[in-house]
Every structure is written in structure tokens, then in C-alpha cells.
Amino acid sequence: MRLAHLSDLHLGYRAFAHQEQGRNVREVDVARVFHQAIARVIDIEPSALLVAGDVFDRPEPPHSAQVALAHGLRSLREALPEMPVLMAAGARDTPAGPADPGPLAAFDTLAGVEAVTGTTRSVYYSQLGLNVVLVPHRSTVQGPRPAVSPNPDARWNVLVGYGSVDGARGSLLSLDPAEWDYVALGHEHLRRKVAPGVHYAGSLERVGPTPWEEAADEKGFLTCELDSGRISFHAIHGRPVVSLAPISYEPGRPDRLRERVREVLEEVPGGIEEKIVRVRIQELPPDQLDLLKGLLPEFRRRALHLEVEFDGPRVGCASPESGVSGRLASRLAKRLGEEDESLEELVELVKDCLSEGPMLKGMP
């Protein structure tokens, strides 16, 4: 008995201002890796497919995201007509209104598909001897934690849930791993083993505001052989994300900064073309921001997205406000390479923000 475990698809996710045939490039990326995963699932031919939460990126996904899911399910149905697909809604695809079932509910009407959005549901497949308990996000946050238990008449008992099961992390699900043959979890974007037979599969793409934090994490999905307990990882290759080593500003050699930025960007294996890239610059005083004038646009044209972050002074040199104001300066400075005609104006704005000290307290 082999199960495939996907999670955190985030279909409909959008970021950056790039379009491909009228669609946001990152939305296209997310749909592309989803279809890659579906093709791999078809090759593997599992007995069931489990999808643990955040199928969509938001409660009102674009129609293109719903079409992407529909195409994936149709491919599965055509290739593996007897294989059930079981999905539990996550926080992202659960509307705030308790009476609204959300976008995933429409797929619950399809043959061979269980798409649970509200309360916990148990599904038993007698021909497989398989019992699956689906725990969506809404059932974990309304009232007491859901009581889940295995089916004593089933050969195999599996739980698909969205949320945390680690007590130290603010557990939303309470379960005894020994009672289950496999627990498929969603919510965390990094692949992780919680306990024997209890796993987060992680997201298929590096989504969210800080994708570089997952740059070194290989993306994909899991399969579990229930007979042996063997867990296998199947890599899915999305858009490359590169997080470069930080560059330190040298007060005595200001011109060196431009050289170092160019060096680290040019030395990325395979180039930065069409990649998501982060560069961090440390200890750069606000009055030296114009050292980067005219340099960043060249690289922004080549990368899909180039993020430039400015780290503030070291501990011991920082004022209470410098962390907040430094983040604000970083956000404003990202625009320097994109709007050369207003360069001086933006530099002055950053300087003014940094000098306002107490006014910045409490800002996000």
C-alpha cells in the first residue's frame, strides 16, 4: 500500500510585477510545479493521494488557480481512475465566514475526490482496507481541538491534517502517532519528520515573502509504503532561488562596495538570469546609498527578482529605533535601481526617515 503526500500547493500565489502571457509569473511557476508533481504521482501509481492544506493561496483564488487544480485532478482521473484523492483545506483556502465553505468545497462534488473544508471527516475504503481521517484548518480553530481516532476495522489508518502537532509550537492537533500508520501534515513549508510516520511534506515551491530562507531546501513531495513504513522523497524543481553571502561595507574603501556587489552577482553558478536573488549589504550608512546608483538596474533586468537588503549597525552601535528604521530604509532603497529619475529624492527620503527616531517607534 503506497500513499503520495503533497501539501501547501498555494495555487494562485502571486508575487513580483512580472507577467507571462497575461499571468503573473510566480502564479505560473506554482501551477507548473503542481503539474510536474501530478505527472510524477501518475508514474508512481500510489493507492491514494493525500493533499494536506493550503491547496489555494487565498480564500478567493483566481479562476486560473481553480482551472489548474481541475486539470490536475482530470489528469489523475484519466490515468488512475480508481485512485482516491483526499484533500483537507488549510488556513489559506479557508474563508473567515463560518458559513462559507471556500473554493475547495466545489471539488468535493467530484467522483473519487474528498475535499474537506469545515469539520473533520473519516472516509473508509473497504477495497483498500484504508481509513483516512481528514482534519481541515477550520475544525482545529473552532472550539476544542478535534478528537480523532483510528477505525479499528481498517487494515490501515491514516490522518491528513493541517496545523502543528508539536506542543512546544502551539499544537493545533492532538494525536498519538502510535495509533496511526501514517500522518500527512501541511502548514510548514519545509519538509520535516515530526515522529516516526508523522511528516510534513513541505511546499512544492518557495512561496511567501522570504523565499530565500528556503533557498537551500529541496522541494517536492513524499510517498509512504505502509507495509514497510518506508518514506521516500520525490524532488520537484521550481524556479531557482539564490541567497548570496552578505557584503560588508568598508568605510575606508567606499568604491569597493560596487565591485563586491558586481562580483557576487556575476559569480552565481549558471548566472542570475530568471532567478530570484537576494543580496545583503551590511553596515552601509544611509548617506552612502548613492554608491549603488546605476548598478542595480543592470542586474534587475537579468534576474526575475533582485532583493537588496540593508543590515543595520552591529549590536552596541544601534539606537533603539535603528532596527525599525533600517527595515524601512531597506524597503525604500529597493526602489533606487528601478526609478533612477527620482534617485536623489528617494535617498533624501530615506535619510529623513532615519532621522525621525521616536516617530518610527511601533511601526511594523
Side-chain angles (χ1 to χ4, degrees):
M1 171 73 71
R2 179 188 296 138
L3 305 176
H5 170 197
L6 281 67
S7 76
D8 297 272
L9 309 181
H10 286 268
L11 294 170
Y13 169 79
R14 293 175 177 176
F16 316 137
H18 298 275
Q19 301 289 317
E20 180 177 296
Q21 297 181 344
R23 293 178 62 193
N24 181 272
V25 169
R26 291 299 283 148
E27 181 184 350
V28 174
D29 288 344
V30 168
R32 184 178 293 123
V33 296
F34 169 63
H35 292 304
Q36 288 181 31
I38 292 299
R40 292 290 299 279
V41 168
I42 291 173
D43 290 339
I44 294 168
E45 298 185 2
S47 299
L49 171 61
L50 317 175
V51 184
D54 285 351
V55 177
F56 295 114
D57 188 61
R58 53 186 183 273
E60 297 181 357
H63 294 157
S64 51
Q66 298 176 62
V67 170
L69 178 59
H71 282 169
L73 294 175
R74 184 182 65 183
S75 297
L76 290 170
R77 182 60 52 232
E78 292 175 350
L80 305 170
E82 302 301 320
M83 184 195 71
V85 177
L86 301 107
M87 301 186 287
R92 286 280 185 168
D93 40 24
T94 299
D100 186 346
L104 202 60
F107 297 89
D108 194 38
T109 63
L110 301 180
V113 176
E114 299 284 340
V116 179
T117 61
T119 58
T120 297
R121 181 188 301 175
S122 181
V123 186
Y124 179 56
Y125 298 95
S126 57
Q127 70 278 19
L128 299 174
L130 173 67
N131 187 72
V132 181
V133 176
L134 295 156
V135 185
H137 169 71
R138 181 171 282 166
S139 70
T140 68
V141 296
Q142 291 184 344
R145 289 182 298 185
V148 293
S149 59
N151 182 345
D153 297 326
R155 170 67 181 87
W156 308 108
N157 277 284
V158 171
L159 184 141
V160 181
Y162 179 92
S164 174
V165 296
D166 298 68
R169 295 172 178 243
S171 171
L172 293 176
L173 299 174
S174 179
L175 56 89
D176 179 0
E179 295 181 340
W180 303 91
D181 296 291
Y182 185 68
V183 177
L185 296 174
H187 171 54
E188 295 190 8
H189 288 186
L190 298 180
R191 186 173 75 257
R192 184 166 73 94
K193 175 182 176 181
V194 179
V198 182
H199 293 262
Y200 286 97
S203 59
L204 291 178
E205 249 284 8
R206 297 169 181 86
V207 296
T210 55
W212 28 86
E213 293 181 359
E214 302 173 28
D217 183 64
E218 197 171 20
K219 295 298 184 178
F221 65 93
L222 302 175
T223 55
C224 174
E225 305 283 350
L226 293 182
D227 300 88
S228 64
R230 179 185 176 187
I231 306 297
S232 301
F233 172 69
H234 304 269
I236 298 294
H237 302 292
R239 187 175 294 274
V241 176
V242 179
S243 180
L244 298 171
I247 300 169
S248 295
Y249 170 72
E250 302 176 45
R253 304 175 63 191
D255 293 340
R256 177 61 176 155
L257 178 65
R258 292 177 63 88
E259 296 176 13
R260 287 292 298 131
V261 170
R262 184 176 294 278
E263 286 173 1
V264 298
L265 288 171
E266 293 288 5
E267 292 172 359
V268 173
I272 66 170
E273 280 67 23
E274 300 304 315
K275 296 176 181 177
I276 299 171
V277 183
R278 177 179 69 165
V279 176
R280 288 178 291 164
I281 299 176
Q282 297 177 330
E283 309 295 326
L284 180 65
D287 60 1
Q288 296 296 311
L289 285 170
D290 57 356
L291 288 173
L292 300 176
K293 181 178 180 180
L295 176 63
L296 300 180
E298 169 191 347
F299 294 101
R300 283 202 164 104
R301 283 190 292 269
R302 293 166 54 187
L304 175 73
H305 178 73
L306 175 61
E307 182 86 6
V308 182
E309 292 185 356
F310 297 86
D311 295 342
R314 293 188 179 92
V315 175
C317 302
S319 68
E321 297 84 18
S322 62
V324 172
S325 57
R327 289 196 298 273
L328 178 58
S330 178
R331 293 172 186 171
L332 291 170
K334 284 193 298 183
R335 296 174 52 195
L336 295 179
E338 299 172 351
E339 301 185 48
D340 286 338
E341 70 277 2
S342 58
L343 176 65
E344 290 78 15
E345 180 181 349
L346 283 171
V347 169
E348 290 303 316
L349 180 58
V350 172
K351 292 178 182 178
D352 290 343
C353 290
L354 290 171
S355 67
E356 289 175 357
M359 294 179 62
L360 293 172
K361 286 185 178 180
M363 289 184 63

